[in-house]
Amino acid sequence: MAQEYKLKTGSLDLKNGEKREVELEGIEGGKVLIVRQGNKTHAMSPNCTHYGAPLVKGVLSEDGILKCPWHGACFKVSSGDVEEAPALDALAKFTISEKNGGFYITGEEATIKSSRRIPNLKCSAQGQEKVVIVGGGSGAIGAVEGLRGDGYKGAITVISAESHPPIDRTKLSKALIADSSKIALRDEKYLAEASVDLVSDNVSSVDFSGKKVSTASGKTYPYTKLILASGGTPKQLPLPGFKDLKNIFLLRAVSDVQAILAAVGDAKGKNIVVIGSSFIGMEVGNALAKENSVSVVGMESAPLERVMGAEVGKIFQSNLEKAGVKFYLNAGVDKATPSSSNSSNVGAVHLKDGTVLDADLVVLGIGVAPATEYLKSSSLPLEKDGSIKTNESFAVEGLDNSVYAIGDIATFPYHGPGGDGALTRIEHWNVAQNAGRSAAAHIINPSPNPKKQFIPIFWSALGAQLRYCGNTPNGWDDLVLQGKPKEGSFAAYYTKGETVVAVATMSMDPIMAQSAALMRVGKMLSKSELKQGKDVLDLAIPAASL
């Protein structure tokens, strides 16, 4: 039952745009966030519902959007509702009252302690509308939450090759969590109460003219709207030994983590070779290095050089080297050979320069391809890389707004800084979820003028927490690096001409979140302004224009 709790403060005299975290009397550790926005004072949950970041350190825009300082989740101050991923739960809101010289909020103790409000999506599907979602990942859950959250009452069916509800897939490579229930975004009961039918099956084909989806089990699912969210397929290495030998793993699913951990076993000190110095490879290497000997093989001169540049990539390399990871860079792989003790298992990886790396197991992190094999015999044209071209709302053009593609399989026009509408495909978990929300919004209200496009955000665990916002479909030609890079604390501004097109940070929150908010409204500092010493944290975030 809701009751009053006194704030441990004698004043709520805040200016517009100010935030203050205030403790409560009567609840041990109880706190609320007080925000002054639009000449109104709001009380709400103090922590982001994603990973618990303190929102007092977040970024508040003039249109009342509060952005998490860690991973960029956005909430509406007026309601606490989620505006952008990766958060799924809303912030709880509390009424404020003043009496006897003190200030009080009214709320339930459990809600205050949980620092969240779980959206009530309970409904009974009705009518003739049927949304079918192919894929059970981040994009799918974003679409489900967006549809039901905005009042869609039609049937929703999610067809996934995985046997569990959507999970936080980022924790597979970052933390090697092998129990799907521990990283489930929503459980089966929650989805069932929202009238979401979860189907574990493989989609075999789509009949776009007949508007139906067929599966490997022989079932057919009709739709009025179709969201294709089938994700990516990890790439194999087409070299001798890699197809035939055991203990060579890909990483995409919970079952992959289970297999990797089984191969590592209880006896630590295994020789592990990770092929690929991109995000998945680096994260896996970092996660396994504590009790094993890990070698990372990469073709670039520094990890993540293609995305981040060599100067920043070497910071990540240094972080992982401190954890014991060994790097073999500018390297090509020649073959894998069997173990001398078990010819069925891998025993070594041979590099083209003659280096031989002992290997009890190998993890491949060399990228993914769009998982669209089931569409190759359909009438839908695919891009050269196997992806699907969409418009800004992620609708596939030429199909009368009946089909959408999101996540790893979508190539869409990017209108962020420096994008100029360039077609791009982004393999970020958070982008998929936001795209799912965008597709859901367009299904409910197919406006020819979609809302302002989100700015892509991703994060990674590379010895410290990396935050990144923006995108570089047209490349970047200069880097403004600030902070103390040698100590692993930096802000890297990637520029194309005078335009900052992307920002990466470590240990300098909330610069990434502030930059993403400025990018969204077209007010990010220029390269020259950064070099003149101007600070993005000194800028107010104006309201976004439509």
Side-chain angles (χ1 to χ4, degrees):
M1 175 181 283
Q3 64 184 78
E4 290 185 335
Y5 295 95
K6 188 176 183 180
L7 301 177
K8 293 183 179 180
T9 182
S11 170
L12 291 182
D13 186 18
L14 280 72
K15 298 178 182 178
N16 274 333
E18 285 189 334
K19 308 181 294 296
R20 184 187 303 166
E21 191 177 85
V22 180
E23 293 182 351
L24 299 174
E25 294 183 1
I27 299 179
E28 184 177 358
K31 297 177 182 180
V32 293
L33 182 70
I34 304 298
V35 178
R36 182 72 175 174
Q37 197 276 324
N39 297 318
K40 293 182 179 180
T41 302
H42 303 262
M44 62 189 67
S45 304
N47 298 104
C48 179
T49 61
H50 178 226
Y51 284 174
L55 291 174
V56 71
K57 297 181 179 180
V59 175
L60 179 63
S61 63
E62 291 179 358
D63 54 1
I65 302 298
L66 180 59
K67 182 179 284 289
C68 168
W70 291 357
H71 307 118
C74 292
F75 305 89
K76 297 177 183 176
V77 170
S78 60
S79 63
D81 290 344
V82 174
E83 178 75 2
E84 289 185 11
L88 292 177
D89 291 340
L91 301 177
K93 290 291 301 291
F94 309 102
T95 58
I96 303 174
S97 58
E98 181 180 5
K99 61 182 180 181
N100 302 325
F103 295 94
Y104 296 77
I105 61 104
T106 300
E108 295 183 358
E109 181 177 357
T111 301
I112 293 169
K113 286 183 174 179
S114 69
S115 193
R116 68 186 59 232
R117 170 175 56 83
I118 299 175
N120 182 8
L121 303 185
K122 294 180 181 179
C123 73
S124 295
Q126 53 192 270
Q128 300 302 310
E129 293 291 312
K130 299 175 188 282
V131 171
V132 172
I133 302 173
V134 176
S138 176
I141 198 66
V144 166
E145 296 277 330
L147 287 166
R148 289 290 188 244
D150 284 345
Y152 179 79
K153 299 299 183 185
I156 299 177
T157 300
V158 176
I159 306 173
S160 172
E162 297 175 302
S163 60
H164 50 71
I167 59 172
D168 185 346
R169 202 174 302 277
T170 66
K171 291 185 177 179
L172 297 183
S173 57
K174 292 175 174 63
L176 295 177
I177 296 177
D179 183 345
S180 64
S181 67
K182 293 181 178 179
I183 52 177
L185 297 171
R186 296 296 192 202
D187 60 26
E188 292 183 6
K189 179 183 177 182
Y190 180 92
L191 293 170
E193 289 178 344
S195 289
V196 176
D197 186 16
L198 284 177
V199 176
S200 179
D201 205 344
N202 287 290
V203 171
S204 55
S205 64
V206 178
D207 179 355
F208 292 100
S209 59
K211 292 190 174 182
K212 57 186 179 180
V213 175
S214 297
T215 66
S217 66
K219 295 182 179 179
T220 300
Y221 298 87
Y223 66 83
T224 56
K225 303 288 185 182
L226 175 65
I227 300 176
L228 301 172
S230 42
T233 300
K235 293 179 179 178
Q236 300 273 1
L237 202 55
L239 294 172
F242 284 93
K243 182 179 180 181
D244 305 318
L245 293 172
K246 296 179 180 179
N247 281 0
I248 297 178
F249 304 101
L250 303 171
L251 179 52
R252 181 73 180 182
V254 171
S255 57
D256 296 325
V257 175
Q258 292 170 344
I260 290 170
L261 294 181
V264 172
D266 295 329
K268 307 301 181 181
K270 291 290 195 302
N271 291 313
I272 301 173
V273 176
V274 177
I275 298 178
S277 57
S278 61
F279 290 104
I280 296 297
M282 293 282 284
E283 289 171 357
V284 171
N286 185 56
L288 289 170
K290 184 176 181 180
E291 297 176 302
N292 300 284
S293 176
V294 175
S295 299
V296 173
V297 179
M299 296 178 65
E300 301 170 299
S301 66
L304 302 164
E305 180 180 4
R306 184 181 62 82
V307 178
M308 300 286 190
E311 189 174 5
V312 173
K314 288 176 181 176
I315 298 172
F316 307 144
Q317 179 179 343
S318 176
N319 284 348
L320 266 65
E321 284 176 338
K322 291 174 184 176
V325 176
K326 296 180 285 293
F327 284 87
Y328 297 83
L329 300 169
N330 289 316
V333 177
D334 184 39
K335 62 182 177 180
T337 54
S339 166
S340 58
S341 60
N342 185 341
S343 61
S344 297
N345 292 344
V346 68
V349 171
H350 299 247
L351 306 184
K352 289 184 177 179
D353 66 359
T355 302
V356 179
L357 303 176
D358 290 337
D360 296 305
L361 63 146
V362 174
V363 180
L364 300 180
I366 55 175
V368 301
T372 54
E373 287 290 330
Y374 62 97
L375 296 173
K376 290 190 175 178
S377 61
S378 73
S379 59
L380 185 68
L382 300 177
E383 300 296 290
K384 289 182 179 180
D385 62 356
S387 64
I388 303 166
K389 182 180 176 182
T390 77
N391 63 17
E392 288 82 354
S393 298
F394 299 95
V396 180
E397 295 180 340
L399 293 173
D400 196 28
N401 287 336
S402 66
V403 179
Y404 297 78
I406 59 176
D408 291 358
I409 65 172
T411 292
F412 64 96
Y414 179 66
H415 293 286
D420 300 321
L423 292 175
T424 189
R425 187 173 72 85
I426 303 177
E427 298 169 356
H428 302 161
W429 184 86
N430 199 45
V431 170
Q433 194 175 132
N434 274 325
R437 288 185 176 275
S438 295
H442 196 255
I443 287 172
I444 292 171
N445 179 25
S447 167
N449 299 310
K451 70 176 185 178
K452 196 79 173 180
Q453 196 175 67
F454 57 85
I455 297 297
I457 287 175
F458 74 85
W459 58 93
S460 187
L462 302 174
Q465 293 298 312
L466 168 70
R467 331 274 194 210
Y468 182 99
C469 68
N471 190 36
T472 58
N474 295 316
W476 53 276
D477 54 27
D478 201 1
L479 171 66
V480 179
L481 189 59
Q482 298 179 347
K484 299 178 180 178
K486 292 183 179 180
E487 298 176 18
S489 174
F490 68 87
Y493 300 90
Y494 298 87
T495 63
K496 179 80 171 178
E498 280 293 306
T499 301
V500 175
V501 295
V503 178
T505 70
M506 269 188 167
S507 303
M508 291 189 72
D509 296 332
I511 286 177
M512 181 282 290
Q514 177 86 354
S515 298
L518 289 167
M519 288 177 175
R520 177 173 173 266
V521 297
K523 298 297 182 181
M524 183 62 187
L525 292 176
S526 68
K527 179 174 75 171
S528 295
E529 288 173 322
L530 287 168
K531 289 189 172 182
Q532 290 166 7
K534 291 187 177 181
D535 189 341
V536 296
L537 297 180
D538 292 336
L539 275 63
I541 312 295
S545 59
L546 296 179

